[in-house]
Amino acid sequence: MIQLAVFDMAGTTIDDGGAVYRALAEAVTETGATVDPGDLQTWMGTEKHAALEALITLGGGTVTPEVVDTAYARFADILADNYAARPPRPLLGIPETLAALRAAGIRIALTTGFTRAVATGILEEMGWRIGSPGEDDVVTIDALVCGDEVAQGRPAPYLIHRAMERTGVVDVARVLTAGDTVVDVRAGINAGVAHTVGVLTGELTVDDFAAAGFAPGESERVHILASVTEVPALWEIAAV
């Protein structure tokens, strides 16, 4: 049975009010490139330097290391301003779901295309921490893996595999992943995990996932759910 659940952050476990979308779009347009909404959605969930480079190129801009670095700095600043105006918060039912999974002996890891500095700032803002559950009501997780800590971000499998490394899980057949973007699902497939979940708490619909080849019910290993809160109901999850 499942030993580790690996969840994306923004749009999957955390409600950021669409701040990442807006920050990416604005950072790209400031370089003089245009942003197609379809391209923006395609690159959501990936490591943000790679996303900016791709979006600038797709939008007709000129890409150099300096342009990408400047765009990333603007992305980080814009995102910080958005979060200051509307702090990120847990999606409905997520704290209870994470607590229930951990109580069942399942380890929890969060993965993200953000840098470590941005991701830890979000967790601190919400009062979440990495460590063992305590007697208080603070949300705790076992590990956090960020886009600047692996050789390649989603849809490569390395965020998931690094989460396994940090939580001591060695068998991909004991791992479940969930995310709100197509690249989240592809990363889970590429990682070879037992179950990969696409959730509808982000910007995508059931039809969007189906158009990418992930229609509900077509695979025993890929599931499209309304929310991470439905993960425990997939089957009787029990730690080994």
Side-chain angles (χ1 to χ4, degrees), residues 91-102:
L91 282 162
L92 184 65
I94 292 299
E96 296 81 1
T97 299
L98 299 186
L101 291 172
R102 294 201 81 189

Side-chain angles (χ1 to χ4, degrees), residues 94-180:
I94 292 299
E96 296 81 1
T97 299
L98 299 186
L101 291 172
R102 294 201 81 189
I106 297 168
R107 280 154 266 187
I108 302 293
L110 297 183
T111 59
T112 178
F114 294 142
T115 63
R116 187 83 183 183
V118 171
T120 54
I122 293 171
L123 296 187
E124 290 170 3
E125 177 71 31
M126 297 194 306
W128 291 16
R129 68 170 179 242
I130 303 169
S132 301
E135 296 181 358
D136 52 26
D137 293 329
V138 173
V139 174
T140 59
I141 60 172
D142 294 281
L144 169 68
V145 186
C146 304
D148 59 344
E149 299 175 329
V150 293
Q152 187 176 347
R154 305 177 186 118
Y158 307 130
L159 287 167
I160 297 166
H161 290 164
R162 183 62 58 85
M164 293 175 62
E165 178 184 351
R166 290 184 177 172
T167 56
V169 174
V170 299
D171 185 357
V172 291
R174 306 298 186 197
V175 179
L176 172 145
T177 69
D180 66 305

Side-chain angles (χ1 to χ4, degrees), residues 60-116:
T62 300
V63 171
T64 67
E66 293 75 17
V67 167
V68 174
D69 287 345
T70 299
Y72 183 83
R74 283 295 297 142
F75 163 76
D77 288 344
I78 295 165
L79 187 65
D81 290 342
N82 286 337
Y83 282 166
R86 184 192 182 281
R89 57 197 179 197
L91 282 162
L92 184 65
I94 292 299
E96 296 81 1
T97 299
L98 299 186
L101 291 172
R102 294 201 81 189
I106 297 168
R107 280 154 266 187
I108 302 293
L110 297 183
T111 59
T112 178
F114 294 142
T115 63
R116 187 83 183 183

